[in-house]
Amino acid sequence: MRHTVELAELGGNDEGPRVLMLPGLGARGSGFRELASRLTGVARPVLVEYPEGERAACGARALAEQVLRVTGNVDAVVASSFGGMVAAHLAAGGATRGVAFLGAFTRTSHVGPRGRLIAMMGPIAVVGRPGRVAASLAAWRLVPSHQVADVVPTTTRERLSTLRRALSIHAEPPPPDLRPLKVSCLCIQGDRDVLVPPSSLERLAASLPEGTPRHLLRGAGHVPYFSHPDACARLLTPWLQALSPAGLAGLAAALEAEEGAVA
């Protein structure tokens, strides 16, 4: 049982940005492994596993505080589903310079009418005991038995932790809009997402800095990082390169040149 946030540092490009991979409500960080392995050439991915048990009885803000205590400030965050709320709190607190949202949201209102039912995912996890069918529906493809636990909660402790965390979502204020902040954002959404519908993409983008890129992946479900790691890596790579020290230096030089030209 995980009593605290646990990290799996995968190494990677020492000159690239350090990027946290935050899972959704009942998923495991290990589900990011295929995507993370494809990003090691440009970044230093870190898989995050949320705590279980009584200490998991917290909403996104409290969970963000737990994550920050273990990881410290990072260059970027790649977040799935409920992980987007955690990432938004990190960004609003200045703990990261960039967030990529994969089938994610920062407020339940972004999910539309079904956002009011997000808390029901907790009781469903306990009573419904999701398995291979639920995992495959989320991924929009058949999930092998040995990977089911990467997508849905499968142990009693994971289900109870999902319940407590889900019931905590509406018990705290939502993250602030990131639109006025100097944070680099990217949105990736599956067009077959049955949990966070594609219509959520525009509502999410409206709360992010102007000009945030939005990508709709055809044939992808709720966990595109798991089912479509190659497509996600292609979209994330240039974004992560821009967040590297070299990329930031190049951007600063370009801005200075532009300011000089205007003067």
Side-chain angles (χ1 to χ4, degrees):
M1 182 171 64
R2 297 184 298 273
H3 292 291
T4 61
V5 173
E6 293 183 1
L7 307 179
E9 304 265 0
L10 300 189
N13 188 331
D14 291 339
E15 297 182 356
R18 185 168 182 247
V19 52
L20 296 186
M21 322 294 274
L22 294 181
L25 196 61
R28 293 182 183 177
S30 56
F32 277 100
R33 188 168 295 276
E34 288 298 319
L35 172 59
S37 68
R38 288 160 171 77
L39 296 176
T40 54
V42 296
R44 292 169 289 150
V46 181
L47 306 185
V48 176
E49 299 291 359
Y50 298 142
E52 297 175 358
E54 294 182 1
R55 299 188 186 184
C58 59
R61 182 174 62 182
L63 189 55
E65 293 172 352
Q66 289 181 323
V67 170
L68 182 60
R69 283 198 293 270
V70 175
T71 66
N73 289 1
V74 295
D75 299 301
V77 177
V78 174
S80 168
S81 191
F82 163 81
M85 299 185 76
V86 180
H89 280 296
L90 291 172
T96 183
R97 295 185 285 106
V99 180
F101 297 92
L102 278 62
F105 51 91
T106 66
R107 296 179 176 225
T108 55
S109 58
H110 294 159
V111 188
R114 70 183 68 183
R116 295 190 291 270
L117 302 176
I118 290 291
M120 291 302 298
M121 296 303 294
I124 289 173
V126 174
V127 178
R129 300 174 64 85
R132 191 179 186 190
V133 172
S136 297
L137 184 62
W140 205 252
R141 70 166 177 79
L142 189 62
V143 175
S145 298
H146 69 279
Q147 291 184 301
V148 168
D150 288 332
V151 182
V152 297
T154 56
T155 69
T156 299
R157 287 192 176 95
E158 285 179 337
R159 293 182 184 119
L160 290 175
S161 297
T162 300
L163 172 66
R164 297 185 182 105
R165 192 166 289 127
L167 296 179
S168 297
I169 289 178
H170 295 295
E172 65 174 22
D177 283 354
L178 303 184
R179 191 173 184 82
L181 303 182
K182 292 183 178 180
V183 57
S184 174
C185 293
L186 176 72
C187 299
I188 300 175
Q189 177 75 38
D191 72 341
R192 300 296 182 180
D193 193 332
V194 297
L195 298 176
V196 179
S199 58
S200 305
L201 186 60
E202 294 305 318
R203 288 188 286 266
L204 169 63
S207 70
L208 303 178
E210 187 174 357
T212 292
R214 302 183 290 278
H215 303 280
L216 191 64
L217 286 184
R218 297 198 178 281
H222 186 55
V223 286
Y225 62 90
F226 176 84
S227 61
H228 292 66
D230 289 322
C232 288
R234 284 195 296 271
L235 296 173
L236 289 168
T237 293
W239 176 74
L240 288 169
Q241 288 174 325
L243 287 171
S244 69
L248 292 173
L251 176 60
L255 291 175
E256 289 180 3
E258 182 178 333
E259 291 175 357
V262 172

